[in-house]
Amino acid sequence: MSTEKGETRRMTIAEALREAIREEMRRDDRVFCLGEDIGIEGGFGGAFTVTLGLSEEFGHERILDTPISEAGIAGAAVGAALTGMRPIADVQYADFLFCMMDQLVNQAAKMTYMSGGKVKVPLVMRAPCGATTRGAQHGQSPESFFIHVPGLKVACPSTAYDAKGLLKTAIRDDAPVLFFEHKLLYGSKGMRAEKDAVSPTSEVPTEEYTLPFGKGVVRREGKDVTIVAKLLMVYKALAAATRLEDEGVSCEVIDPRTLVPFDTEMVVDSVRKTGRLIIVDECNRTGGWAGEVAAEIQEKAFGYLEAPILRITAPDTPVPFSPVMEKFYVPDEDRITDAVREVLRWR
Amino acid sequence: MSTEKGETRRMTIAEALREAIREEMRRDDRVFCLGEDIGIEGGFGGAFTVTLGLSEEFGHERILDTPISEAGIAGAAVGAALTGMRPIADVQYADFLFCMMDQLVNQAAKMTYMSGGKVKVPLVMRAPCGATTRGAQHGQSPESFFIHVPGLKVACPSTAYDAKGLLKTAIRDDAPVLFFEHKLLYGSKGMRAEKDAVSPTSEVPTEEYTLPFGKGVVRREGKDVTIVAKLLMVYKALAAATRLEDEGVSCEVIDPRTLVPFDTEMVVDSVRKTGRLIIVDECNRTGGWAGEVAAEIQEKAFGYLEAPILRITAPDTPVPFSPVMEKFYVPDEDRITDAVREVLRWR
Amino acid sequence: MIRPPRESLVRMYQRMQQIRQLEEKVYYLFLQGDMPGTLHLYIGMEACAVGVCENLRHEDYITSTHRPHGHAIAKGVSLKAVMAELFGKSVGCCGGYGGSMHVGDLAVGSVPAIAIVGGGVPVATGIGLSCKMRKTDNVVCCFFGDGAVNEGAFHEGLNMAALWDLPVVFVCENNLYAASTPIAQAVKLAHLSERAGAYGIPGVTVDGNDVLAVYEVVGQAVERARRGEGPTFVECNTYRLCGHSRSDTCGYRDREEEAEWKKRDPLLVMEENLTEAKLITPDELLGIKEAVAREIDEAVQFARAGQTPKPEDCMQHVCAEE
Amino acid sequence: MIRPPRESLVRMYQRMQQIRQLEEKVYYLFLQGDMPGTLHLYIGMEACAVGVCENLRHEDYITSTHRPHGHAIAKGVSLKAVMAELFGKSVGCCGGYGGSMHVGDLAVGSVPAIAIVGGGVPVATGIGLSCKMRKTDNVVCCFFGDGAVNEGAFHEGLNMAALWDLPVVFVCENNLYAASTPIAQAVKLAHLSERAGAYGIPGVTVDGNDVLAVYEVVGQAVERARRGEGPTFVECNTYRLCGHSRSDTCGYRDREEEAEWKKRDPLLVMEENLTEAKLITPDELLGIKEAVAREIDEAVQFARAGQTPKPEDCMQHVCAEE
Ligand SMILES: Cc1ncc(C[n+]2csc(CCOP(=O)(O)OP(=O)(O)O)c2C)c(N)n1
Ligand SMILES: Cc1ncc(C[n+]2csc(CCOP(=O)(O)OP(=O)(O)O)c2C)c(N)n1
Ligand SMILES: [Mg+2]
Ligand SMILES: [Mg+2]
């Protein structure tokens, strides 16, 4: 395809991420990947195919298969990053970030500060999140833990275009970046395909580009209610907005793309217009990202709010296995639609 | 001392915690302590003297010294709790909770749920928090991470009376409890004393008592502004309230005592009266507990709020070492006083 | 070599058949789209779970992994309860809350499986501690794969169990791969049991496809544990005769290697051993096999007929009811 | 035994004196209330850091622990920069952001110390990986205590370094206690170096109070690492001639044991060795000692005179400036 932006191709998120890694590894010798099952011949290319085929071009030194040692992976990434490399580490499921929490929170995030700004830790930690009938230890959305760690940046792309542009920025950033990828958005095909996946593809320019951190995007303009959502929830919010259009309700849907830094301004501007805010998030409710946004916006846009800010999140339970329960657990269009109607009752 | 409540003695928090452990260990064979340096002869009784002397009464089997193995300690506590014991585990500094995060988040918190309610995990994890010029890896207040983990309960006592009553409840609870103790509140004497400590003592009944989770306490009644604060910040909030009294401002100070479950009702009731809310917290700002409270209260008390809810927290930085910087980092009376004046400008 | 009593031999063969046939059925149902979630099957490794658990009492414990069906069945969780759990039904052994990766039932000593690689190791140490503190002579067998021996939790758990002479048997199922990763890309040792020395405990490697060998070696370790002499590390050499998960086609394995191991299928090995020693007739074996097939069908029926949880049931069981 | 050149001997003695005298001064200042925070002093262990670092080039790296002053000085961080950091001054090696437990300066290869026990181990592995990937022949020496060998991070880091033949020397300073905990309550082994076998790498135990012995053993390990032959685990037997932290009075240690080790004070040992072998005269030693005393005084003056950070400086350096 060709637009005013130049040539583009349709791509899945998995493909876009792979291309971002490939381009950055070509551009910069210091960039390398490490993780479990990422480069084995005849293997998976990581749990969700993102690194598939890369070892052929870059060899096994730069697509480095590790033992199952999450603390070792993250610690090694910190050490390599401190001394001139730019590692992209992979954790098969975001749930396993808890096995490397000390390395991420106490070391990666703090080394720059503890050194008085003398060292840098340019590492990227890629983590697939989201519930997919794998149960309590393979379906968490732990993004909110990491927004609470000063020194870390947090990215959450929901389209292939964003995924590529943000991953390239993450790799070039001198700070450690947690890069969350939703399992149902990869659009992986073949043996690693996911049931119920949204698999969004988008037009991705052939020409190189990066996307800045801290800049959200308005996915849909509207004037009655602002909905902020990330990752898979962007699609649920858009579906709800489409449905509500028939009822004559106009929703503005914002995708922040990065959680740290966060585009507070974009949300404040929107709320000044709509007077109503709903945050949709697959993280658990208490202590989650949705609450952070609510707290920040009620402060920054106090005079403009015509209704309480509502949070539509996963409940405060672990991820249940049984598909009917999981469906209840993950926020859906119905809950979003109801919430919109509720805030509209405040006039 | 003798009041309508019966006989009491003045006690420090460290003493009150020790007494709670002693009473519960006497009452119930299944209760035991494990951790690093908790019971060594001639040693410290844990990093902050809480378990000092207990091995004399209960022996080294029940006051179990461990290697430096946080994942091992927490995992062993889970295993013991699953099979009929009631472990009280000790992490020397709350910062090291990150070394056992997988055990706490993926296992302790989820085993009951994953089993469909068939198993229980009655363990207590005691964790000293707060900045005390020890720098970035020994001064964190990581409470907020744990309110975001469904399946965990979180307690934060600020007085000796509460510490004893809540710890006994925690030990008897069938759910895993994270029990945060502020380093500057222990009131430890002698070689482990802390500089700048508040060392509050309180009257503690000789008669046995427990305190329920989820019930806050109004530390000071007022009508103009509600201040919610926990741990050390309770004392800073009270000091600010006293100072503001001279200016004719009446502050209500609420200490929630447990974060999960949280006494939302008490805060909502207070805000209905005052119309203004400030949350004071030593946790980092973004994604922290203060934001959770703000999000919840703006929703539950929307029509009553006359000003935006303000958060007075540690900034989004690691804990700095240099005492002047640390003093800036920890919320103080001045910042609270300023915030109160600010919310009062909204009329 | 110890010869277990005939009833024990029959039970072991029956259990191995139960596991094999359940897994084959489950795989079929999964491919048909009848079964939700993901799956890690135990096909080819049956002799490990069964040889280990034949040494255990009802009151003893096991901990398990992301590949738990075989362990749970060997410890005594019913086929029906396992099957129903895989279907996400309320009558499943975890009420449908757990799913494939968390199968287990503490009522028979099978701790709901921990699917974090290595995560079960310190938990088993804690169970051992509890068995000792409660002054029982119970033991815990802790199952984990070759991949788990490089996790920090493994290290911390083994060291503590060794230090305190806890009644734990650490059973490493070395099937040569962790997902797609061959063992040589994970550890620089010929035998994983060499790691035992680092904790000052005995380590032994055994043919994990020979149920009688596993039974014997683990039996000694269990006895040692019961006597209060501490843990043992047992490495069982075995092989997955299936993919790592779901529709994995094992592109990372050598087809010849697979064929070699297929010849040493633990069910074949046991059938040969038993018939050669004339302990069981081929007809009897066939009878057991057919009986198990009927049990499996019943289990599927039971699971299909079972109540599906209500959506809002997901709000329950976050904390234990007091 | 290797005899290092005279200039090397002099430098080692001088470094050991620098560490000893800095620590004694710091302790005094702390007791006087002049110094904030908490402290873990390196008194009695000087031969380890100095013997190790004498083998290293400027471009080589070390990682350190909660007890880092000696390591940093041995690797070349100036006394002034260390002292100023302990005072929390902007001219400190970490600008006052780090403090005692994070002393270090990457400009001389001394990674800001990681005070999480065992936390530095995988980081050192990553540095080794980086040295290898960047095709340098640099090495990294990773310091940690006897307490660290029971942390999961230790295990994961050693295994990965071994697997990939990384240029890392793992230096375990076994001072017999982890805080108040005697080694026998933490590990069931006679020598911690026995753990090396679990990773398929060489392990060796050396007298950590004899700087020349440390120098020689670590020298071989460093050469091995430079040649690309992989890591070595070196256990240095030593002893804290001070409390674990701050005002610890070591109530958990035997006074006789302390007295025995006091006789083997690494400074005494070196002085005896050098004078007996007539390599240095007692007068020369005294001269070095006095020169160091002056350096320490200057460092204190420098630190006291140094700028205190502004309170709001704490908002800086959260992320690296691009
Ligand atoms: C901590 C953690 N890391 C990674 C995974 C993903 N994972 C699941 S199974 C597996 C391979 C396990 O290999 P092994 O321990 O040998 O057991 P096997 O599957 O061969 O039975 C991996 C990497 C996990 N579940 N937990
Ligand atoms: C992960 C972690 N757990 C506990 C501590 C608290 N702590 C600090 S030093 C120490 C003892 C360390 O002993 P060792 O490794 O032998 O070093 P040494 O102090 O003897 O030099 C402990 C338990 C810590 N800093 N990090
Ligand atoms: Mg395996
Ligand atoms: Mg030590």
Side-chain angles (χ1 to χ4, degrees):
Chain A
M1 204 172 122
S2 157
T3 67
E4 74 272 33
K5 279 186 188 160
E7 291 295 315
T8 64
R9 302 116 327 139
R10 277 212 97 70
M11 274 191 165
T12 63
I13 290 190
E15 288 163 347
L17 293 168
R18 195 179 303 131
E19 191 167 271
I21 295 172
R22 181 176 281 128
E23 285 179 12
E24 292 303 300
M25 288 185 67
R26 284 184 185 158
R27 197 183 63 87
D28 185 345
D29 272 358
R30 300 169 303 174
V31 179
F32 72 104
C33 294
L34 75 169
E36 299 157 16
D37 300 298
I38 64 171
I40 305 280
E41 312 288 338
F44 317 130
F48 297 93
T49 74
V50 172
T51 52
L52 202 61
L54 292 179
S55 63
E56 282 154 37
E57 176 170 353
F58 300 106
H60 291 287
E61 292 72 34
R62 292 182 70 198
I63 303 291
L64 185 60
D65 285 294
T66 67
I68 310 179
S69 306
E70 284 75 17
I73 292 168
V78 170
L82 279 173
T83 53
M85 300 298 289
R86 305 189 83 88
I88 307 172
D90 177 298
V91 59
Q92 297 200 334
Y93 288 78
D95 311 70
F96 314 152
L97 290 170
F98 297 115
C99 301
M100 48 168 76
M101 205 69 177
D102 175 54
Q103 284 67 36
L104 297 175
V105 175
N106 284 331
Q107 285 137 56
K110 294 183 175 41
M111 291 293 287
T112 294
Y113 194 78
M114 288 175 354
S115 73
K118 288 191 185 171
V119 310
K120 56 188 189 186
V121 190
L123 70 84
V124 178
M125 190 76 233
R126 292 184 37 246
C129 61
T132 60
T133 66
R134 285 177 172 89
Q137 294 179 337
H138 286 69
Q140 292 169 81
S141 292
E143 302 89 282
S144 299
F145 289 93
F146 298 94
I147 68 170
H148 189 53
V149 183
L152 297 182
K153 296 183 180 176
V154 180
C156 289
S158 71
T159 70
Y161 176 79
D162 289 354
K164 182 174 174 191
L166 291 172
L167 184 53
K168 286 171 70 90
T169 302
I171 295 168
R172 296 181 193 188
D173 201 300
D174 278 340
V177 178
L178 270 280
F179 202 89
F180 287 96
E181 306 165 2
H182 198 288
K183 297 188 207 75
L184 296 182
L185 294 179
Y186 277 119
S188 324
K189 295 181 201 95
M191 67 172 182
R192 308 292 289 175
E194 292 291 322
K195 211 164 157 275
D196 296 322
V198 169
S199 303
T201 54
S202 52
E203 293 295 327
V204 175
T206 48
E207 204 159 296
E208 169 161 65
Y209 68 101
T210 61
L211 289 175
F213 275 24
K215 292 278 164 230
V217 59
V218 176
R219 295 270 174 226
R220 178 188 176 114
E221 288 195 22
K223 58 184 181 20
D224 299 327
V225 181
T226 304
I227 306 179
V228 177
K230 66 175 161 66
L231 293 167
L232 181 65
M233 293 302 117
V234 171
Y235 297 92
K236 308 246 171 173
L238 287 170
T242 306
R243 206 201 281 179
L244 284 158
E245 196 172 28
D246 298 340
E247 300 180 18
V249 178
S250 156
C251 297
E252 179 141 310
V253 178
I254 293 178
D255 175 353
R257 303 199 285 196
T258 58
L259 306 186
V260 179
F262 181 73
D263 195 345
T264 308
E265 204 182 312
M266 177 176 279
V267 181
V268 168
D269 286 348
S270 177
V271 170
R272 286 195 173 158
K273 181 172 71 177
T274 62
R276 291 173 176 81
L277 175 61
I278 290 167
I279 304 128
V280 189
D281 189 14
E282 195 178 324
C283 295
N284 295 112
R285 179 178 171 98
T286 297
W289 169 70
E292 172 59 30
V293 176
E296 192 66 10
I297 300 306
Q298 67 79 30
E299 182 177 339
K300 297 270 162 62
F302 184 73
Y304 298 89
L305 282 171
E306 291 172 41
I309 301 169
L310 296 188
R311 295 184 269 173
I312 304 299
T313 65
D316 286 330
T317 76
V319 184
F321 165 67
S322 191
V324 284
M325 292 198 287
E326 193 191 83
K327 200 163 170 313
F328 182 89
Y329 172 93
V330 178
D332 63 8
E333 272 173 64
D334 287 345
R335 285 182 61 203
I336 302 170
T337 313
D338 288 348
V340 169
R341 293 195 191 110
E342 189 178 329
V343 292
L344 284 170
R345 273 198 289 273
W346 292 78
R347 292 273 177 187
Chain B
M1 203 172 123
S2 157
T3 67
E4 75 271 35
K5 277 185 186 159
E7 290 295 314
T8 65
R9 302 113 332 137
R10 276 212 99 68
M11 275 192 164
T12 64
I13 290 191
E15 288 162 348
L17 293 168
R18 195 179 303 131
E19 191 168 270
I21 295 172
R22 180 176 283 129
E23 286 179 12
E24 292 303 301
M25 287 184 69
R26 284 184 185 159
R27 197 182 64 86
D28 186 344
D29 271 357
R30 299 169 304 172
V31 179
F32 72 105
C33 295
L34 76 169
E36 299 157 14
D37 300 298
I38 63 170
I40 305 280
E41 312 287 337
F44 316 131
F48 298 93
T49 73
V50 172
T51 52
L52 203 60
L54 292 179
S55 63
E56 283 153 35
E57 176 169 353
F58 300 106
H60 292 288
E61 292 72 34
R62 292 182 71 197
I63 303 291
L64 184 61
D65 284 295
T66 68
I68 310 179
S69 305
E70 284 75 15
I73 292 168
V78 170
L82 278 173
T83 52
M85 301 297 290
R86 304 188 83 89
I88 307 172
D90 177 298
V91 59
Q92 297 200 334
Y93 289 79
D95 311 70
F96 314 151
L97 290 171
F98 298 115
C99 300
M100 48 168 76
M101 204 72 177
D102 175 55
Q103 284 67 35
L104 296 175
V105 175
N106 284 331
Q107 285 136 56
K110 293 182 174 45
M111 292 293 288
T112 294
Y113 194 77
M114 289 176 352
S115 73
K118 288 192 188 171
V119 309
K120 56 188 188 186
V121 191
L123 70 83
V124 177
M125 190 76 231
R126 294 183 36 245
C129 61
T132 59
T133 66
R134 285 178 172 88
Q137 293 178 338
H138 286 70
Q140 293 169 81
S141 292
E143 301 90 281
S144 299
F145 290 93
F146 298 94
I147 69 170
H148 189 52
V149 183
L152 296 183
K153 297 184 179 175
V154 181
C156 288
S158 71
T159 70
Y161 176 79
D162 289 355
K164 182 174 174 193
L166 292 172
L167 184 53
K168 286 172 69 92
T169 302
I171 295 168
R172 297 180 193 189
D173 201 299
D174 278 341
V177 178
L178 268 281
F179 202 88
F180 287 96
E181 306 166 3
H182 198 289
K183 298 189 208 74
L184 296 183
L185 293 180
Y186 277 120
S188 325
K189 294 182 201 94
M191 68 173 184
R192 307 294 287 174
E194 292 290 324
K195 210 162 156 280
D196 295 323
V198 169
S199 303
T201 53
S202 50
E203 292 296 326
V204 176
T206 47
E207 204 158 295
E208 169 160 65
Y209 68 101
T210 61
L211 290 175
F213 276 24
K215 293 280 164 230
V217 60
V218 176
R219 294 271 175 225
R220 178 189 175 112
E221 289 195 20
K223 57 186 186 13
D224 299 326
V225 181
T226 303
I227 306 178
V228 176
K230 67 174 161 65
L231 291 169
L232 182 64
M233 293 301 117
V234 172
Y235 296 92
K236 308 245 173 173
L238 287 171
T242 305
R243 206 201 281 179
L244 284 158
E245 196 172 28
D246 298 339
E247 300 179 19
V249 178
S250 155
C251 297
E252 179 142 310
V253 178
I254 293 177
D255 175 353
R257 303 199 286 194
T258 59
L259 306 186
V260 178
F262 181 72
D263 195 345
T264 308
E265 205 182 312
M266 177 176 279
V267 181
V268 168
D269 285 348
S270 176
V271 170
R272 285 196 174 155
K273 180 172 71 175
T274 62
R276 291 172 175 82
L277 174 61
I278 291 168
I279 304 126
V280 190
D281 189 14
E282 194 177 325
C283 294
N284 294 113
R285 179 178 170 97
T286 298
W289 169 71
E292 172 59 30
V293 176
E296 192 66 10
I297 300 304
Q298 68 79 31
E299 182 178 339
K300 298 268 162 63
F302 184 72
Y304 298 89
L305 282 171
E306 290 173 40
I309 301 169
L310 296 189
R311 295 183 269 174
I312 305 298
T313 66
D316 286 331
T317 76
V319 183
F321 165 66
S322 191
V324 284
M325 293 198 288
E326 193 192 82
K327 199 163 171 315
F328 182 90
Y329 172 92
V330 177
D332 63 10
E333 273 174 62
D334 288 344
R335 285 181 62 204
I336 302 169
T337 314
D338 288 349
V340 169
R341 293 195 191 110
E342 190 178 328
V343 292
L344 284 171
R345 274 197 289 273
W346 292 77
R347 294 270 175 191
Chain C
M1 189 167 141
I2 292 172
R3 169 124 305 155
R6 199 189 124 90
E7 94 187 53
S8 175
L9 293 171
V10 169
R11 185 168 46 228
M12 286 196 265
Y13 182 70
Q14 184 199 23
R15 287 275 201 240
M16 286 170 65
Q17 277 293 346
Q18 287 177 332
I19 297 170
R20 172 65 56 92
Q21 292 191 36
L22 179 125
E23 295 292 56
E24 285 177 345
K25 175 67 77 176
V26 158
Y27 188 48
Y28 171 81
L29 292 168
F30 183 81
L31 290 182
Q32 280 211 314
D34 274 10
M35 192 154 271
T38 189
L39 284 177
H40 303 93
L41 302 177
Y42 199 66
I43 295 172
M45 300 165 63
E46 295 87 348
C48 303
V50 171
V52 167
C53 291
E54 186 63 20
N55 288 292
L56 300 184
R57 306 176 185 157
H58 180 83
E59 299 74 25
D60 293 328
Y61 299 96
I62 63 164
T63 65
S64 178
T65 68
H66 58 285
R67 197 180 298 288
H69 312 169
H71 304 146
I73 293 170
K75 187 65 177 67
V77 183
S78 75
L79 297 178
K80 287 178 176 166
V82 171
M83 188 65 86
E85 188 58 33
L86 303 184
F87 273 97
K89 296 301 181 75
S90 298
V91 288
C93 55
C94 302
Y97 288 75
S100 166
M101 287 200 269
H102 306 301
V103 156
D105 186 351
L106 196 54
V108 299
S110 169
V111 174
I114 293 174
I116 302 294
V117 169
V121 177
V123 173
T125 294
I127 295 173
L129 180 62
S130 157
C131 290
K132 184 172 176 176
M133 291 186 84
R134 288 182 289 120
K135 302 198 176 23
T136 70
D137 67 346
N138 296 137
V139 304
V140 52
C141 286
C142 173
F143 289 101
F144 52 89
D146 49 287
V149 303
N150 304 311
E151 284 282 3
F154 162 88
H155 180 67
E156 299 190 15
L158 259 81
N159 185 60
M160 284 167 72
L163 197 58
W164 300 329
D165 293 327
L166 299 182
V168 190
V169 183
F170 294 102
V171 181
C172 179
E173 299 176 324
N174 182 356
N175 61 9
L176 303 182
Y177 295 85
S180 71
T181 305
I183 182 102
Q185 282 190 242
V187 179
K188 222 180 180 180
L189 293 175
H191 299 289
L192 297 179
S193 56
E194 294 172 46
R195 286 240 159 123
Y199 311 103
I201 61 170
V204 45
T205 298
V206 63
D207 178 355
N209 279 20
D210 179 348
V211 70
L212 298 181
V214 174
Y215 172 74
E216 180 171 356
V217 163
V218 172
Q220 287 158 9
V222 164
E223 283 320 308
R224 195 179 119 84
R226 282 204 210 288
R227 287 193 307 266
E229 292 168 21
T232 305
F233 182 110
V234 179
E235 175 188 20
C236 301
N237 286 333
T238 183
Y239 200 77
R240 259 195 276 115
L241 295 176
C242 58
H244 167 63
S245 70
R246 303 216 306 188
S247 32
D248 169 18
T249 52
C250 299
Y252 48 87
R253 293 201 308 204
D254 184 55
R255 293 295 171 250
E256 271 177 43
E257 178 186 277
E258 291 181 348
E260 280 308 309
W261 280 96
K262 188 111 189 88
K263 287 189 214 146
R264 303 228 340 105
D265 181 326
L267 282 155
L268 287 184
V269 171
M270 187 175 198
E271 286 166 6
E272 277 170 27
N273 279 345
L274 295 184
T275 47
E276 266 169 33
K278 301 220 187 318
L279 287 164
I280 300 189
T281 67
D283 271 0
E284 282 174 300
L285 291 178
L286 194 65
I288 295 173
K289 210 163 161 173
E290 288 173 354
V292 167
R294 285 188 297 275
E295 281 185 88
I296 297 289
D297 285 340
E298 281 164 30
V300 173
Q301 277 168 33
F302 173 84
R304 286 199 196 274
Q307 178 88 47
T308 299
K310 289 192 290 299
E312 63 276 17
D313 286 351
C314 94
M315 303 302 291
Q316 285 170 21
H317 302 313
V318 178
C319 286
E321 272 95 63
E322 328 260 309
Chain D
M1 188 168 142
I2 291 170
R3 167 122 309 152
R6 199 188 123 89
E7 91 186 57
S8 175
L9 293 171
V10 169
R11 187 168 44 230
M12 285 196 266
Y13 182 71
Q14 183 199 21
R15 286 276 201 242
M16 285 170 65
Q17 277 292 347
Q18 287 177 332
I19 296 171
R20 171 65 55 91
Q21 293 191 34
L22 180 124
E23 294 292 57
E24 285 177 344
K25 174 68 77 176
V26 159
Y27 188 48
Y28 171 81
L29 292 168
F30 183 80
L31 290 182
Q32 280 211 313
D34 274 11
M35 192 154 271
T38 189
L39 284 176
H40 302 93
L41 302 177
Y42 199 64
I43 295 173
M45 301 165 63
E46 296 87 349
C48 303
V50 171
V52 167
C53 291
E54 187 63 21
N55 288 291
L56 300 184
R57 304 175 186 158
H58 181 84
E59 299 73 26
D60 293 329
Y61 299 95
I62 63 163
T63 65
S64 177
T65 68
H66 59 284
R67 197 180 297 289
H69 311 168
H71 304 145
I73 293 169
K75 188 63 177 70
V77 182
S78 76
L79 297 178
K80 286 179 176 165
V82 171
M83 188 65 86
E85 188 58 31
L86 303 184
F87 272 98
K89 295 302 181 75
S90 298
V91 288
C93 55
C94 301
Y97 288 75
S100 166
M101 286 200 270
H102 306 301
V103 156
D105 186 351
L106 195 54
V108 298
S110 169
V111 174
I114 293 174
I116 301 294
V117 168
V121 176
V123 173
T125 295
I127 296 173
L129 180 63
S130 157
C131 290
K132 184 172 177 175
M133 291 187 85
R134 288 183 289 123
K135 301 197 178 23
T136 71
D137 66 348
N138 297 137
V139 304
V140 52
C141 287
C142 172
F143 289 100
F144 52 88
D146 48 287
V149 303
N150 305 311
E151 283 283 2
F154 162 89
H155 180 68
E156 299 190 16
L158 258 82
N159 185 59
M160 285 168 72
L163 198 58
W164 300 328
D165 293 325
L166 299 182
V168 190
V169 182
F170 294 102
V171 180
C172 179
E173 300 175 323
N174 181 356
N175 61 9
L176 303 182
Y177 295 84
S180 71
T181 306
I183 181 101
Q185 281 189 243
V187 180
K188 222 182 179 177
L189 293 174
H191 299 290
L192 297 179
S193 56
E194 294 172 45
R195 287 239 158 124
Y199 310 103
I201 62 170
V204 46
T205 298
V206 64
D207 178 355
N209 279 20
D210 179 349
V211 71
L212 298 181
V214 173
Y215 172 74
E216 181 171 355
V217 164
V218 172
Q220 287 159 7
V222 164
E223 283 321 307
R224 194 178 120 84
R226 282 204 210 288
R227 286 192 307 267
E229 292 168 20
T232 305
F233 182 110
V234 179
E235 174 188 19
C236 301
N237 285 333
T238 184
Y239 201 77
R240 260 196 275 113
L241 295 176
C242 58
H244 168 62
S245 71
R246 301 216 306 189
S247 31
D248 170 18
T249 52
C250 300
Y252 48 86
R253 292 200 310 203
D254 184 55
R255 293 293 170 251
E256 270 177 45
E257 178 186 277
E258 290 183 348
E260 279 309 309
W261 280 95
K262 187 113 188 85
K263 287 189 214 148
R264 302 226 343 102
D265 181 326
L267 281 156
L268 286 184
V269 171
M270 188 177 198
E271 285 166 7
E272 276 169 29
N273 279 346
L274 294 184
T275 46
E276 264 169 36
K278 300 219 187 319
L279 287 163
I280 300 187
T281 67
D283 272 0
E284 283 174 300
L285 291 179
L286 194 66
I288 295 173
K289 209 163 161 175
E290 288 172 355
V292 168
R294 286 188 296 275
E295 282 185 89
I296 298 288
D297 285 340
E298 281 164 29
V300 173
Q301 278 167 32
F302 173 84
R304 286 200 196 273
Q307 179 87 48
T308 300
K310 289 192 290 299
E312 63 276 18
D313 285 353
C314 94
M315 302 301 292
Q316 285 171 21
H317 301 314
V318 177
C319 287
E321 272 93 64
E322 328 258 310

